[in-house]
Amino acid sequence: MSSSVVPRSEYPRPQMVRQDWLNLNGPWQFEIDAGDSGLERGLRERELSGTITVPFAPESELSGLAHTDFMRAVWYRRTVTIPGAWAGKRTLLHFGAVDHDATVWVNGVEVARHRGGFSPFTADLSGVVRPGEDATIVVRARDPRQGPQARGKQSTRYANYECLYTRTTGIWQTVWLEPVPDVHLRRPRITPDVATSSFTVVTPLSGNRPGSSVRVTVADKDGAVATASTRADADLAPSVRLQLPEDRVRLWEPGDGHLYDVKVELLDEGGAVTDTVDGYAGLRSVAIDGKRVLINGRPVFQRLVLDQGYYPDGLMTAPSDEALLRDIELALAAGFNGARLHQKVFEERFLYHADRLGYLVWGEFGDWGAHDGREQQPTASFITQWLEVLERDVSHPSIIGWCPLNETRQPIHDHVAQLDDVTRGMFLATKLADPTRPVIDASGYSHRVLETDIYDSHNYEQEPATFAGLMSGLSKDEPFVNDLDGQPISVAYRGQPYFVSEYGGIWWNPELAGTAQRADRQTSWGYGQRVRTEDEFHERFAGLTGVLLDNPDMFGYCYTQLTDVFQEENGIYRFDRSTKLDVERVRQVQLRTAASER
């Protein structure tokens, strides 16, 4: 890649846009620190031995390295001149995501420490470097092989296997700079209220100045719709409510992602604008009526697909913004109306495209990596990382539910386990951060919170008739519940809305048609017995999906999965997003009205 080309050059934070910013993606100095001894050996002070293309992880092809062995620690270094035009302002250094434990120095001064590979963090460079001066940025990322850590689907073996994939170490999302005034706007929280056709906008501030105010304007394609102002000198997070005129109300709907522009301005005592951010909002509601989940007051059967967000050349980082959009378009073409974003916190640009297209999304955390072979050992940092994710994503209208944990299989016993504490902590943190959306305490396994809003299961039975039998108990409030070798791992079902949030996973590789069913599972893997023909795939998909569509007590499903991922070959599309079966036949199965929508 030419050094003059900035990879992933699009603005990384589309719900809070400032016009002035500097993208730091591209060539950085890089060095692997196999023994995590780099600080002692002077890596913080000296030039590094190699080069990498940020924001792609060193394991990826797009990084220029494709180094797939374990890296206990890695170092990055780059010198950049802070624009002189930013004089009089603070310079913020943003990292979209660094896996896993990051320390950042600028001109030899430590400016940030952050734990967690999925959530963003920021360093304020005030007092360290001034506009017009050079800033030498050094990043160390530690990514140990052992110990409890939120890894998602990253393999802890050298090679990929089954549903675990090539690791991501270090920087894997955009790094960028922006100038802000000394007192500035922080990320607004925008909450829609369909019942009153209004938005509430809470605007946290870095501080308060006498006589200052906040002004919020909501607009559509025809211009300003509503404006509201409030004092910004009395509260650290001023709040306004914007009532939309009846003739300008348009809901954000599945398949119709109508968005309003939202401008937030900070004004001084003389009325001059001192800081501005531009964003957007969608007017939509989520509610629960018995076993139904309602969107804008009506049942919408959630035809979801499991999306793991991996790419052959970029791993967890999409090669381009267009690739993020393309994945949503592929899902829609196959008849799905949304996705469960699985074992990964997706780049915010993905949510932007989902918002625009009216694509339903369940937000999830990449919690796998806490099992010690006996019990789950998630740490307190799972909760802190998840709170950072909620802060980033809470205003995206496409997100219609939260799923902090996934398949935390562990028996229920007579003592409070660490898993119980962390599960409840993540559930309560989610409800406190966002009371407007339903929360699944843990998808599939180990429901450990009695009041969880949603109850679900994972079931990869491949025979439709048997699958129907397993699902038949829901009408009697006796749904299929996952267990562990016959031991209960969940609290009892209490009549909540229920769906099968993983099913299918039909193993199909056209190139292996007619070969032995037990191929090398390192190179081809899927659930159950591999289908022998494409027709057999479609028959099985129609049978399994029909069981769920026809169940009046089911509010949705999530099919595994959108694309093949490395050796896991159960996608609707191939790993490179090319076609491997008749997508229209998949779409047609899902078009009919579900029983719960009638």
Side-chain angles (χ1 to χ4, degrees):
M1 180 177 292
S2 169
S3 61
S4 64
V5 176
V6 177
R8 298 302 307 272
S9 60
E10 64 281 347
Y11 194 84
R13 193 183 58 195
Q15 261 199 330
M16 185 186 175
V17 178
R18 286 191 174 95
Q19 297 305 312
D20 209 0
W21 69 295
L22 182 62
N23 192 320
L24 299 187
N25 292 344
W28 286 56
Q29 293 180 29
F30 179 81
E31 192 166 326
I32 297 170
D33 182 6
D36 191 13
S37 58
L39 194 61
E40 301 164 71
R41 293 186 291 110
L43 264 64
R44 183 180 62 185
E45 290 80 24
R46 68 162 171 81
E47 302 292 306
L48 303 179
S49 60
T51 303
I52 190 171
T53 300
V54 169
F56 303 107
E59 292 90 345
S60 72
E61 295 175 9
L62 290 174
S63 73
L65 298 176
H67 182 97
T68 57
D69 204 348
F70 292 94
M71 289 170 277
R72 190 173 175 187
V74 294
W75 291 75
Y76 299 79
R77 183 183 184 92
R78 177 170 175 178
T79 298
V80 59
T81 301
I82 307 298
W86 295 1
K89 295 189 175 184
R90 294 177 177 267
T91 298
L92 303 182
L93 172 60
H94 299 291
F95 293 85
V98 182
D99 196 342
H100 184 263
D101 291 350
T103 306
V104 183
W105 297 268
V106 173
N107 292 350
V109 177
E110 184 179 311
V111 295
R113 289 192 183 194
H114 181 263
R115 170 168 290 177
F118 296 107
S119 51
F121 64 98
T122 297
D124 187 338
L125 305 189
S126 302
V128 177
V129 62
R130 292 178 297 184
E133 297 179 344
D134 286 348
T136 297
I137 303 166
V138 176
V139 180
R140 179 191 60 197
R142 289 168 160 154
D143 195 17
R145 180 178 182 179
Q146 307 297 334
Q149 177 177 309
R151 306 176 192 274
K153 288 296 193 80
Q154 300 179 62
S155 175
T156 54
R157 301 179 190 174
Y158 170 71
N160 298 354
Y161 67 100
E162 295 181 352
C163 61
L164 295 164
Y165 320 125
T166 303
R167 290 165 296 284
T168 291
T169 297
I171 297 170
W172 68 276
Q173 289 187 32
T174 292
V175 184
W176 53 294
L177 293 168
E178 72 169 339
V180 297
D182 187 44
V183 175
H184 55 273
L185 301 164
R186 290 181 171 154
R187 184 183 283 267
R189 173 176 295 220
I190 305 172
T191 304
D193 188 339
V194 168
T196 61
S197 301
S198 66
F199 291 106
T200 297
V201 181
V202 177
T203 308
L205 303 172
S206 66
N208 304 95
R209 289 281 171 80
S212 61
S213 61
V214 167
R215 180 170 64 206
V216 182
T217 303
V218 172
D220 59 17
K221 62 180 178 58
D222 295 321
V225 174
T227 301
S229 299
T230 190
R231 291 172 57 187
D233 57 0
D235 297 289
L236 199 54
S239 175
V240 299
R241 179 173 172 271
L242 296 107
Q243 180 72 50
L244 306 185
E246 185 177 348
D247 63 345
R248 304 288 284 277
V249 171
R250 181 176 167 187
L251 297 182
W252 185 99
E253 297 273 12
D256 180 17
H258 177 262
L259 300 174
Y260 291 92
D261 295 325
V262 177
K263 181 182 290 291
V264 182
E265 298 168 299
L266 181 62
L267 291 74
D268 65 17
E269 59 182 345
V273 175
T274 60
D275 193 17
T276 302
V277 295
D278 292 302
Y280 62 84
L283 186 63
R284 68 100 190 87
S285 66
V286 184
I288 291 174
D289 177 14
K291 292 179 181 176
R292 301 189 305 171
V293 176
L294 311 181
I295 298 176
N296 297 335
R298 64 183 180 86
V300 175
F301 194 83
Q302 296 180 27
R303 298 163 173 83
L304 308 178
V305 67
L306 199 76
D307 188 345
Q308 306 201 73
Y310 272 78
Y311 300 86
D313 51 2
L315 301 179
M316 287 203 300
T317 311
S320 66
D321 190 51
E322 291 75 19
L324 295 171
L325 173 60
R326 178 64 174 153
D327 281 357
I328 297 173
E329 293 173 337
L330 290 173
L332 292 170
F336 299 101
N337 61 8
R340 184 172 159 227
L341 305 182
H342 186 50
Q343 279 303 290
K344 172 189 165 185
V345 178
F346 279 49
E347 302 172 53
E348 196 174 359
R349 295 287 306 188
F350 181 96
L351 298 177
Y352 166 64
H353 295 305
D355 293 339
R356 292 192 304 108
L357 295 178
Y359 189 67
L360 307 178
V361 165
W362 281 82
E364 186 171 312
F365 186 57
D367 68 291
W368 276 17
H371 200 280
D372 66 1
R374 190 171 55 88
E375 288 199 342
Q376 299 280 339
Q377 299 292 330
T379 65
S381 73
F382 281 50
I383 302 174
T384 59
Q385 293 170 52
W386 181 238
L387 282 167
E388 291 173 333
V389 173
L390 293 168
E391 181 183 16
R392 191 197 78 171
D393 292 345
V394 70
S395 297
H396 285 283
S398 59
I399 296 177
I400 47 131
W402 299 109
C403 180
L405 298 167
N406 172 74
E407 292 190 355
T408 48
R409 62 186 80 189
Q410 182 172 305
I412 298 280
H413 51 65
D414 192 34
H415 298 279
V416 175
Q418 187 165 323
L419 178 60
D420 294 301
D421 281 334
V422 173
T423 302
R424 185 159 192 84
M426 294 183 84
F427 177 82
L428 292 176
T430 310
K431 296 300 290 186
L432 183 62
D434 180 16
T436 72
R437 295 176 175 93
V439 181
I440 306 172
D441 59 341
S443 183
Y445 307 163
S446 285
H447 292 292
R448 306 179 92 85
V449 176
L450 279 170
E451 65 270 32
T452 183
D453 295 317
I454 305 290
Y455 205 102
D456 68 347
S457 68
H458 298 174
N459 191 306
Y460 285 107
E461 171 58 48
Q462 297 294 300
E463 171 53 51
T466 305
F467 188 59
L470 293 171
M471 295 299 121
S472 63
L474 184 56
S475 62
K476 304 187 292 291
D477 283 348
E478 297 174 359
F480 174 82
V481 177
N482 294 106
D483 60 26
L484 182 63
D485 300 325
Q487 300 179 79
I489 60 175
S490 292
V491 296
Y493 174 69
R494 304 178 78 187
Q496 299 100 322
Y498 178 98
F499 77 132
V500 181
S501 58
E502 288 185 32
Y503 82 103
I506 302 171
W507 184 8
W508 168 239
N509 180 333
E511 284 68 44
L512 295 179
T515 65
Q517 288 295 304
R518 288 293 168 186
D520 179 2
R521 294 177 70 89
Q522 288 295 109
T523 58
S524 180
W525 181 87
Y527 291 95
Q529 190 176 52
R530 194 176 73 240
V531 293
R532 293 164 294 184
T533 66
E534 184 179 334
D535 281 343
E536 187 177 339
F537 171 93
H538 290 294
E539 290 167 8
R540 189 180 295 181
F541 178 82
L544 296 172
T545 302
V547 167
L548 304 176
L549 284 168
D550 291 338
N551 190 323
D553 295 311
M554 199 84 64
F555 76 85
Y557 56 64
C558 181
Y559 180 80
T560 301
Q561 63 180 320
L562 180 61
T563 73
D564 296 342
V565 184
F566 292 107
Q567 69 282 350
E568 189 174 358
E569 295 182 326
N570 49 24
I572 300 297
Y573 300 91
R574 298 182 193 269
F575 195 17
D576 65 3
R577 276 58 176 175
S578 62
T579 301
K580 74 171 186 177
L581 50 79
D582 187 345
V583 173
E584 181 59 25
R585 289 182 68 177
V586 174
R587 179 175 177 272
Q588 288 299 324
V589 167
Q590 304 190 78
L591 287 183
R592 62 187 173 86
T593 302
S596 65
E597 293 176 305
R598 295 171 190 150

